[in-house]
Amino acid sequence: MFRCSIYRQSLLFLVLFLGATSARDITAPSVFRHASVRPSCHSAATIPTRGGAAKAETAKMNPWLSFVSIIRDSRRDLLAAAAARCSSIFSMYPVDTLKTRLQMEQANPFRLEGLYKGVAGSLIGQVPYGVLTFGSYEMYKKALLNKFPNTKPVLLYAFSAVLGDLTGSGWLCPSEVIKQQTQAGMYKSTAEAFMGILRKKGIKGLYQGYFGGIARDVPFRVAQLTSYEVTKSFYLRIKSRRAKSASKSVKGKSTNEKIQLDAAESAICGAIAGSFSAAITAPLDRFKTLLMTDSAAYGGTVLSCASKIWRDEGIAGFAKGVVPRVTYIAPSVAIFFIVYEQVRQRLDN
């Protein structure tokens, strides 16, 4: 029932997202900053709504109406983020395929044939997943900020991000299963993989490795947000010192200007944080891959999968695929920010 509910809700949000006819200027959505390793730094205590106080009160009473309001009012940002997400996934997909092959210990993993197998399923899963995760992330963040006003916001952002990922995982897991089994050469196309999995294992086959994905994504988000904040703070301190030094050499120049990161600097900090997060969660990523492609052989759980790898391969088995995973994350983040900023600027104009 939970999974069916997730699908119905996500389809509703997609219709609202694509069919909305009016737009307004709002702050860029923090979740896509976060999803590409840029967490929100602005307050989310107020959700953008239309229709006055009565509508705002209704949204407050019904959190799902708040969710719908966020998706509708963020349409322009979501379009830019969807385009950026598609571009980053498509351009870096061959590296992701190589990572999957290495994690499965396939013969000749660097063969050029089939590098884009499963890309359609990945895009179908990732874009709605982004919409679903964004809406729920903002909803959770607003509720937590109102409930715990004296708690450090960064902790609430991190917890909201985890809850958002858990909400979106109901949609993402089937697409990941289909993508990885197609990448591994088990099926020739996304459609064949979908029908084959349903025929062999039914709906539950689309959710094999679900907890392996959760075990990877939750630590990844926490590490991602924390490492980004540390990297950003360090860079801003350096930039602030440079600005103060420059102001001393120019008479009358104000030193009160707020120091911020531009898009390129954010992409660099994000790539650093993303690469670090990808590296330390590489073993969890391999568990997810093996459980989604051959769950029965690895016991069907994260613990049994880890135990089998330890027995058969030793500690080195946990690091397989780490280089392609890190190689995939860093340029993917940079591509995302470049496309996101360009598309959003054109939509603004």
Side-chain angles (χ1 to χ4, degrees):
M1 291 295 295
F2 168 76
R3 289 164 185 165
C4 292
S5 177
I6 287 292
Y7 287 134
R8 287 197 298 268
Q9 290 161 4
S10 59
L11 287 174
L12 171 63
F13 302 143
L14 283 173
V15 169
L16 291 170
F17 160 48
L18 295 173
T21 56
S22 57
R24 62 185 282 189
D25 292 327
I26 61 172
T27 305
S30 60
V31 71
F32 287 109
R33 302 292 189 185
H34 139 70
S36 291
V37 205
R38 181 172 180 177
S40 173
C41 298
H42 60 79
S43 172
T46 302
I47 290 184
T49 59
R50 294 191 185 90
K55 188 171 182 180
E57 183 64 24
T58 302
K60 183 177 180 181
M61 294 174 60
N62 189 334
W64 288 113
L65 289 181
S66 297
F67 194 126
V68 171
S69 179
I70 291 168
I71 297 300
R72 183 198 61 212
D73 293 339
S74 302
R75 183 196 61 182
R76 178 168 42 193
D77 299 295
L78 289 168
L79 283 171
R85 201 171 183 86
C86 288
S87 299
S88 61
I89 290 171
F90 188 83
S91 59
M92 296 304 298
Y93 194 80
V95 180
D96 189 43
T97 299
L98 293 177
K99 177 202 66 133
T100 298
R101 291 174 179 173
L102 287 169
Q103 289 176 331
M104 294 182 66
E105 298 185 288
Q106 289 190 351
N108 189 22
F110 294 99
R111 63 186 183 276
L112 297 180
E113 180 185 2
L115 288 177
Y116 273 96
K117 276 189 175 181
V119 67
S122 182
L123 293 174
I124 291 171
Q126 286 286 345
V127 176
Y129 163 73
V131 174
L132 186 61
T133 301
F134 164 64
S136 62
Y137 170 78
E138 291 291 351
M139 183 184 70
Y140 294 135
K141 185 171 67 175
K142 174 182 179 294
L144 288 172
L145 286 170
N146 289 334
K147 184 75 172 177
F148 305 103
N150 298 323
T151 304
K152 289 184 178 180
V154 67
L155 298 178
L156 300 182
Y157 295 156
F159 189 52
S160 299
V162 170
L163 293 176
D165 278 342
L166 290 175
T167 302
S169 65
W171 180 277
L172 181 64
C173 185
S175 74
E176 284 289 292
V177 173
I178 292 169
K179 179 200 76 170
Q180 295 209 308
Q181 293 197 14
T182 308
Q183 285 178 324
M186 299 166 67
Y187 298 96
K188 294 181 180 179
S189 67
T190 298
E192 182 183 324
F194 177 71
M195 296 305 299
I197 293 169
L198 283 180
R199 187 167 52 252
K200 292 179 181 178
K201 300 183 179 180
I203 293 294
K204 68 179 183 180
L206 295 173
Y207 285 89
Q208 62 184 18
Y210 174 79
F211 291 105
I214 294 298
R216 178 201 66 174
D217 291 339
V218 170
F220 178 80
R221 292 303 170 207
V222 174
Q224 187 183 55
L225 284 167
T226 305
S227 58
Y228 179 83
E229 287 295 340
V230 172
T231 305
K232 184 181 74 172
S233 297
F234 177 75
Y235 193 94
L236 284 174
R237 285 197 298 269
I238 295 176
K239 195 171 182 180
S240 178
R241 288 172 189 164
R242 289 177 179 173
K244 289 179 180 178
S245 298
S247 65
K248 290 179 181 178
S249 60
V250 180
K251 286 186 177 182
K253 184 174 180 179
S254 174
T255 59
N256 295 324
E257 183 179 353
K258 186 177 180 181
I259 305 298
Q260 295 179 320
L261 298 181
D262 59 30
E265 292 166 340
S266 296
I268 293 171
C269 291
I272 294 172
S275 298
F276 167 74
S277 305
I280 65 173
T281 57
L284 299 174
D285 186 58
R286 191 179 185 213
F287 300 160
K288 185 214 68 163
T289 296
L290 295 175
L291 290 172
M292 285 186 172
T293 54
D294 196 0
S295 180
Y298 288 89
T301 68
V302 174
L303 183 59
S304 62
C305 182
S307 299
K308 180 173 174 55
I309 292 173
W310 177 261
R311 289 194 307 269
D312 297 347
E313 306 173 42
I315 194 169
F318 295 108
K320 284 190 176 175
V322 63
V323 174
R325 177 167 164 77
V326 173
T327 303
Y328 171 81
I329 291 293
S332 179
V333 169
I335 292 169
F336 180 95
F337 270 101
I338 292 169
V339 176
Y340 178 84
E341 294 296 342
Q342 290 298 314
V343 172
R344 193 174 189 282
Q345 288 173 20
R346 282 162 175 71
L347 291 174
D348 286 340
N349 293 332

